[in-house]
Amino acid sequence: MSLPITALVLCLTLPLLGAIATVAAPRHATPLVTSVAGLMVAVTIGLTSHVAIHGPVVVALGEWAPPLGIQIMADGPAVLFLLVNALVMAAVVLFSLAPIGQPGPRSRLAQTFWPLLLLLWGALNAIFVSRDLFNLYVGLELASLAAVALVAIERKRDTLNAALRYLLFALTGSLLYLLGVVLIYAGHGTLDITLLAGELGMHPTDALAIGAMTAGLAAKTALFPFHVWLPPAHAGAPAPASAVLSALVPKASLYIALRLWLEAAPGAGDAIAVNVLGWLGALAVVHGSIMALRQERLKLVIAYSTVAQIGYLFLVFPLALGAAGAAGSGVADSAWNGTLFQALSHALAKAALFLCAGLILEAAGHDRIARLAGVAQALPVTLFAFGLAAITLMGLPPSGGFMAKYLLVTASLEGGVPGWGLIVLAGGLLAAAYLYRPMASAFRHPDQESAAPFTTVAAWRQAIPLGLAIASLALGILPAVPHELMGGMP
Amino acid sequence: MTATEWLPFTVCAAALIGLGLYGLVTQPLLLRRVIAFNVIGSGIFLLFGALSGSESAGTDSVPQAMIITGIVVALSATALALALVVAHAREGGRDP
Amino acid sequence: MTDWLPPLILATSLLPAVATFFLHQESHVWRNTLNLGGALLKVGLVVFMLVEVAGGTLHETRIDLVPGVFLLLRVDALSLLFLTLSAVLWLLTTVYAIAYFDHKPNLSRFFGFFSLCVFATTGIALSGSLLTFFIFYELLTLSTWPLVVHKQNAASMRAGVSYLLYSLPGSVALLFAILWLESAAGPVEFANGADFADLDSASQRWLFLLFAGGLAVKAAMVPLHRWLPAAMAAPAPVSALLHAVAVVKAGAFGFVRVIHDVFGIERVTDLGLGIPLAMLASVTILYGSIQALRQTGIKRRLAYSTVSQVSYIVLGAALVGPLALIGGLAHLVHQGLMKITLFFCAGIYDERAGIHEIAELNGIGARMPWTSVCFSLGALGMIGLPPMAGFVTKIYLGLGAMESGAPWVVAVLAGSTLLNAAYFLPLLYRIWFTPPPDGERPGERPLGIVVPAVITGLGAIAAGLLAGADFSPLGWATLIVERHYQP
């Protein structure tokens, strides 16, 4: 096997092997996990630079070409997601080297946390490189199970409730997706995305299949109105788990929806369906933001912000496939690239925010926004990281979020549908409003009588969310290479 | 397979999926929802088997492989769901 | 073409900013060296460029972000006017701030954001395209917020909310205008102007309204001015920077760019957009002065005076004539020199004598002579007493108004001058001609807080006395306008 193919295969196998090893040898879990994370970052960076220079890496498993065998492919968008996944996961691993969550039987927590984290890593990577709709189902299901287990990891009653609700949504979503897969296979005799491209939409059952799959994926992505499971689950999990869940897991199902609609069936989406998706996205932006404004706890604000930020991602359907997309290929390209910029920069920024929230929770013992005064003094670096990540979520320059907003609004204006662009701009203002509250509260000087003591947090742990936040800004400062890797509408 | 051969399977599968979805939406008890999920799953696998036989003349082995994989995945999902239900009950949580 | 110069100038503020964040609170020497070093280096580079640009050289740097989206840094005569102002006043304000804060807490954060704020202002000055302008404009909003709330008390937090409440919607309007224009006309460079061929005149008017709305917030024009008096909760060096260099000037500078380098004077005249804007500026000038008259606090009176004075620049740009533009551009520098002097002095009164209210100024002239002389120079300049800098501006604006066929502007200028006199002269009377109260004599030390005020005060006189020289603000403004009108 050549080096890039080895790297691609390692991206799938290394986390899974690591997961098994940590189960088998829980005493050595810490060195195992750190070395797997380190290796994965190196391998992913290597693979990304290879794809950036030489183009996609394709592996036909067992050397059987589709339709008989199945293919995995690391193209531009795939390696970008692999890379962001690796960065967030590595940050979370580093962050969790200190005790996570509430004090208690740490070993048990670690015993379940590490394997689940690595399992999730592997499952997400499998989704990003799979070219087969059934393989994607398996990856999706694995990721969902690991994610649900991560929510439930502390076994408190509230989080178990949240996990169960999440599980029901996730399982229903998976089944709907599987139903679509079955119908597509019956109609076309293949599930390979490349072979399906251009074919999908011809068969009479395809509309039903795509509809079922999209509904299932939307439930897993927490698109409004299927978002009700997300805030309790993401706010209830331990902070490092929330970081992964909010940053990456919804992106995986969205990623499949993008592959399905834009790559496999670009002609199949009729105007009504794409506009419905766009409208649900717009409602998600508004509803999620308003709910975020009304929360009293920091983690819930961040979780509702995910609901809102996911809304932007669904604007790609009307922009790339609707009337706007027909206005010229440049519009669809802008919409596609803008959406990917949003997905990637949101992943980095959201992970940073949840890790910040985790540090504040550790230092203050609570995350009630009204009582955060003095955090700026106790955790200056954390608050700085929070501010930088907030810039990305507001879509202000210079950040990946601004790049996303710029491309999406340009697409909507050039496509002659400025309404979608206005939603994006309004969402930025709402984000500023709901992120400003905790920022300002933490920045205040504490009153003398209400001054609560903060426990100290090591500087190196504060630097982790800062690094992620800087990475999300870097996407906007040096966007040329990522932009080229995204490569416009597939 | 001819239509008379695969049609009953398809109708049966559709009925299972419909029943399962109905149960999932209407049943408040967690355990029943998990069972409903399994009913839907069975319906989909049945549909898969029936439809894949309908088009091609010979027997296609790919759907069978997929059905087995799917059953394994559904089984592990059920296992996790049951574990969560048990943990939930231990913590004193009641069904909504 | 030496295209490393613009990025280098940006780096002189950015690198100290980034490095300062990592400095320990106690490393005063390092922090001061970094900030002063950066500021000095920048002034040096600016002087070098002044000579080059006067000789006709252009510096340009283009950084591609993604295909079709680029950052363009361009040094022309207009950008150098703003750049020189910010570089010189940054140096002086840094000296002042070091002496003013001495060993107070959170200084690394303060100086970090302070330098970042200057970095953004420099970027605004150097922007060669609309998008570049917007990016630095936003960066300025973000980097000023920590300065406004620096004291972290309830008043400054309220000021911070008010600042963002006005700024962010303004930015959205600006961004929407830019993207709308660029989706029809392609990337807009200031050197070429925008191509409006694909837009009907109604769209053009809407665009102008959006641009004006976005810029009017920062320029503190009525009715979008309320954040500026509230921002007085910030420490004195921040007020000085905000009112003289950074935020309000960014808005006024943006008006000049949009009117002259995006729309172009013919289009603004054809669409009939100049006069309504000039009227709004006139309303702001008079309203700001009247409000200033009603304030009892020194800093609040100065703040409303800024609301009024910054609109002189907008007025100069909106009248779309060469003489008015010369007046407006010269005022960009003149107002900066005079207003920063006033704020330096207000800060000294506050810090050394605990004086916030006008009523407390009685007899302070004899007790704090240096500060009071500087304050008086700034105030007389603002009134427009010959031969001070403010006089020169008003003459040119008045002549420009006659030239542009808007003689009513002369009445506005006259009214504003009377109002200026009405709200500044009572202060001067109290300072010099009332007996001081008993008590300890407040000091005027250290030198670091008084010397910058003396320099800017003298600068305000020199800008008026030597207005005929080539390198005076007026001379440079004339050069800009000559190049603009006779390419």
Side-chain angles (χ1 to χ4, degrees):
Chain A
M1 280 199 290
S2 75
L3 210 54
I5 290 179
T6 315
L8 178 51
V9 173
L10 278 179
C11 276
L12 298 180
T13 50
L14 205 54
L16 298 180
L17 288 175
I20 296 167
T22 45
V23 173
R27 283 165 186 283
H28 307 291
T30 310
L32 261 171
V33 173
T34 28
S35 36
V36 168
L39 262 175
M40 280 299 289
V41 171
V43 166
T44 321
I45 289 175
L47 185 63
T48 308
S49 36
H50 178 87
V51 171
I53 299 164
H54 300 286
V57 178
V58 185
V59 184
L61 294 182
E63 301 191 356
W64 290 85
L68 276 178
I70 45 178
Q71 230 179 26
I72 56 175
M73 176 162 93
D75 58 0
V79 288
L80 286 172
F81 278 95
L82 288 181
L83 186 61
V84 166
N85 193 12
L87 291 179
V88 171
M89 286 287 182
V92 165
V93 166
L94 268 183
F95 187 90
S96 313
L97 289 178
I100 59 163
Q102 303 300 318
R106 175 173 182 224
S107 59
R108 198 193 75 190
L109 213 57
Q111 265 175 31
T112 39
F113 182 72
W114 292 131
L116 286 174
L117 193 70
L118 290 177
L119 183 66
L120 184 59
W121 194 340
L124 291 173
N125 278 359
I127 292 172
F128 295 139
V129 298
S130 285
R131 301 290 299 166
D132 179 278
L133 292 177
F134 187 78
N135 257 20
L136 286 170
Y137 164 73
V138 177
L140 201 57
E141 198 72 324
L142 266 182
S144 295
L145 295 184
V148 170
L150 276 174
V151 171
I153 198 166
E154 284 183 328
R155 301 204 185 185
K156 288 185 298 193
R157 195 198 296 179
D158 290 351
T159 57
L160 283 171
N161 255 334
L164 272 166
R165 201 196 292 198
Y166 181 14
L167 183 71
L168 285 172
F169 270 90
L171 290 183
T172 316
S174 303
L175 287 178
L176 283 172
Y177 177 84
L178 185 63
L179 180 63
V181 171
V182 169
L183 291 172
I184 288 180
Y185 189 79
H188 299 273
T190 180
L191 292 171
D192 185 82
I193 290 177
T194 319
L195 294 177
L196 281 172
E199 298 287 319
L200 206 55
M202 304 298 175
H203 201 271
T205 55
D206 281 354
L208 179 62
I210 294 176
M213 291 167 95
T214 309
L217 293 169
K220 283 183 177 261
T221 316
L223 174 63
F224 180 90
F226 308 118
H227 65 284
V228 286
W229 59 266
L230 187 146
H234 287 188
S242 309
V244 175
L245 293 175
S246 222
L248 302 168
V249 177
K251 307 292 156 50
S253 42
L254 175 94
Y255 183 86
I256 299 175
L258 288 179
R259 291 274 192 206
L260 185 69
W261 280 77
L262 294 132
E263 200 171 341
D270 70 4
I272 298 171
V274 295
N275 278 324
V276 166
L277 285 174
W279 272 110
L280 290 179
L283 286 173
V285 170
V286 175
H287 175 80
S289 304
I290 290 173
M291 289 304 286
L293 263 175
R294 295 173 51 190
Q295 300 307 313
E296 296 300 323
R297 284 182 46 218
L298 180 58
K299 280 181 83 179
L300 273 168
V301 171
I302 304 174
Y304 271 107
S305 145
T306 299
V307 174
Q309 298 278 332
I310 281 170
Y312 295 127
L313 301 172
F314 282 83
L315 299 183
V316 70
F317 296 105
L319 285 176
L321 299 173
S329 66
V331 174
D333 285 346
S334 293
W336 165 267
N337 291 343
T339 303
L340 292 194
F341 265 112
Q342 166 67 15
L344 298 170
S345 53
H346 173 255
L348 293 164
K350 190 46 66 75
L353 281 187
F354 264 119
L355 294 186
C356 288
L359 290 174
I360 291 173
L361 199 62
E362 272 177 42
H366 68 89
D367 67 341
R368 301 223 157 262
I369 291 171
R371 286 166 44 210
L372 288 183
V375 166
Q377 255 60 39
L379 303 167
V381 179
T382 306
L383 201 65
F384 191 55
F386 191 99
L388 291 186
I391 289 174
T392 289
L393 294 192
M394 296 180 217
L396 295 178
S399 71
F402 176 69
M403 233 23 245
K405 182 175 279 191
Y406 178 89
L407 290 167
L408 287 174
V409 177
T410 306
S412 87
L413 284 168
E414 284 183 359
V417 279
W420 301 120
L422 286 175
I423 297 272
V424 175
L425 293 176
L429 278 182
L430 285 168
Y434 65 70
L435 290 168
Y436 184 80
R437 278 176 63 231
M439 263 307 271
S441 178
F443 213 81
R444 271 200 333 265
H445 265 314
D447 306 329
Q448 290 307 324
E449 63 269 30
S450 71
F454 290 95
T455 49
T456 49
V457 172
W460 66 269
R461 289 185 74 213
Q462 296 196 53
I464 296 169
L466 183 63
L468 286 174
I470 289 174
S472 76
L473 293 194
L475 258 177
I477 297 169
L478 303 164
V481 175
H483 185 271
E484 204 186 317
L485 279 170
M486 290 167 192
M489 261 287 269
Chain B
M1 279 204 287
T2 61
T4 47
E5 280 171 334
W6 60 260
L7 197 61
F9 290 107
T10 315
V11 172
C12 197
L16 280 176
I17 295 173
L19 268 175
L21 278 175
Y22 176 77
L24 202 62
V25 175
T26 57
Q27 291 298 327
L29 294 180
L30 289 169
L31 208 56
R32 293 192 180 183
R33 287 185 169 197
V34 175
I35 293 171
F37 158 74
N38 274 280
V39 173
I40 303 176
S42 309
I44 292 176
F45 297 136
L46 186 59
L47 183 71
F48 207 173
L51 288 182
S52 59
S54 68
E55 302 268 321
S56 49
T59 325
D60 190 351
S61 62
V62 176
Q64 293 172 14
M66 286 185 190
I67 289 170
I68 290 171
T69 318
I71 288 172
V72 172
V73 170
L75 179 72
S76 28
T78 310
L80 177 66
L82 291 178
L84 285 179
V85 171
V86 171
H88 187 250
R90 281 215 182 113
E91 288 295 318
R94 271 178 297 169
D95 280 330
Chain C
M1 276 212 198
T2 38
D3 48 13
W4 47 267
L5 253 176
L8 186 65
I9 287 192
L10 282 173
T12 54
S13 325
L14 180 61
L15 294 182
V18 173
T20 305
F21 283 125
F22 290 99
L23 284 180
H24 196 262
Q25 165 65 20
E26 302 306 319
S27 14
H28 296 280
V29 175
W30 270 103
R31 188 167 54 235
N32 297 346
T33 314
L34 263 173
N35 282 280
L36 284 175
L40 275 170
L41 184 62
K42 184 165 180 179
V43 171
L45 286 172
V46 167
V47 169
F48 172 70
M49 288 215 297
L50 274 170
V51 176
E52 288 228 302
V53 171
T57 319
L58 270 181
H59 295 282
E60 199 174 76
T61 312
R62 191 181 293 264
I63 304 157
D64 281 308
L65 291 179
V66 302
V69 183
F70 55 86
L71 291 183
L72 181 66
L73 302 174
R74 194 162 173 279
V75 185
D76 58 16
L78 177 56
S79 53
L80 256 183
L81 181 83
F82 191 25
L83 184 58
T84 313
L85 176 77
S86 76
V88 172
L89 294 190
W90 179 39
L91 176 62
L92 294 171
T93 314
T94 306
V95 173
Y96 180 80
I98 289 171
Y100 180 89
F101 283 117
D102 196 23
H103 284 65
K104 286 194 178 140
N106 297 324
L107 286 188
S108 285
R109 183 182 80 205
F110 178 85
F111 279 101
F113 282 112
F114 195 72
S115 297
L116 206 58
C117 180
V118 174
F119 164 71
T121 310
T122 311
I124 289 173
L126 290 177
S127 296
S129 73
L130 262 181
L131 187 68
T132 318
F133 176 83
F134 176 77
I135 287 174
F136 284 110
Y137 196 77
E138 277 305 272
L139 206 60
L140 181 64
T141 310
L142 294 175
S143 54
T144 340
W145 182 80
L147 297 178
V148 172
V149 299
H150 181 74
K151 289 181 185 165
Q152 291 173 262
N153 54 20
S156 60
M157 293 313 292
R158 273 199 303 278
V161 173
S162 158
Y163 179 53
L164 289 186
L165 215 55
Y166 281 93
S167 293
L168 291 179
S171 309
V172 168
L174 194 58
L175 178 63
F176 188 71
I178 291 173
L179 294 181
W180 184 4
L181 179 57
E182 296 202 340
S183 69
V188 178
E189 292 182 28
F190 293 140
N192 311 325
D195 172 20
F196 283 85
D198 290 343
L199 291 160
D200 56 27
S201 60
S203 302
Q204 296 182 21
R205 287 204 176 87
W206 275 109
L207 269 172
F208 191 81
L209 188 68
L210 283 170
F211 272 116
L215 295 166
V217 173
K218 282 243 187 347
M221 290 177 77
V222 172
L224 304 172
H225 64 285
R226 287 181 186 278
W227 63 269
L228 186 63
M232 286 292 91
V238 177
S239 306
L241 198 74
L242 238 63
H243 284 254
V245 188
V247 179
V248 293
K249 287 300 167 60
F253 182 76
F255 268 112
V256 177
R257 281 291 193 203
V258 166
I259 291 173
H260 291 266
D261 293 338
V262 176
F263 279 76
I265 40 182
E266 286 97 18
R267 190 174 310 279
V268 171
T269 318
D270 291 348
L271 292 170
L273 297 167
I275 295 302
L277 183 61
M279 284 174 162
L280 182 66
S282 302
V283 169
T284 309
I285 289 171
L286 295 175
Y287 175 86
S289 301
I290 293 167
Q291 284 297 320
L293 201 53
R294 296 176 51 196
Q295 305 302 321
T296 54
I298 302 172
K299 284 179 89 178
R300 288 186 69 84
R301 182 166 286 194
L302 292 182
Y304 275 107
S305 154
T306 304
V307 171
S308 163
Q309 294 278 335
V310 168
S311 275
Y312 277 59
I313 308 166
V314 181
L315 183 65
L319 287 172
V320 288
L323 285 175
L325 184 59
I326 291 176
L329 290 176
H331 202 58
L332 189 87
V333 179
H334 291 164
Q335 189 269 354
L337 286 169
M338 299 183 293
K339 191 44 71 66
I340 208 165
T341 313
L342 289 168
F343 271 109
F344 282 160
C345 296
I348 301 171
Y349 285 147
D350 177 9
E351 188 65 17
R352 289 291 168 265
I355 294 174
H356 309 100
E357 295 295 314
I358 292 167
E360 297 166 329
L361 280 173
N362 287 358
I364 198 70
R367 293 145 61 91
M368 298 174 80
W370 286 99
T371 313
S372 300
V373 166
C374 294
F375 190 89
S376 309
L377 285 177
L380 292 174
M382 283 292 180
I383 297 169
L385 192 77
M388 303 284 293
F391 171 71
V392 178
T393 319
K394 285 181 185 178
I395 289 290
Y396 270 83
L397 280 175
L399 291 175
M402 300 304 287
E403 184 188 57
S404 305
W408 51 271
V409 169
V410 179
V412 172
L413 292 172
S416 157
T417 304
L418 285 177
L419 285 165
N420 288 348
Y423 66 74
F424 272 127
L425 288 179
L427 267 71
L428 300 190
Y429 178 79
R430 278 181 191 277
I431 290 173
W432 297 110
F433 301 111
T434 47
D438 300 328
E440 208 179 318
R441 184 188 161 97
E444 292 185 275
R445 297 208 159 259
L447 276 180
I449 54 174
V450 179
V451 169
V454 173
I455 295 176
T456 52
L458 290 176
I461 301 182
L465 274 180
L466 308 174
D470 282 348
F471 277 91
S472 74
L474 186 75
W476 195 263
T478 315
L479 174 84
I480 295 169
V481 174
E482 274 172 3
R483 286 191 182 167
H484 204 93
Y485 281 82
Q486 298 146 14

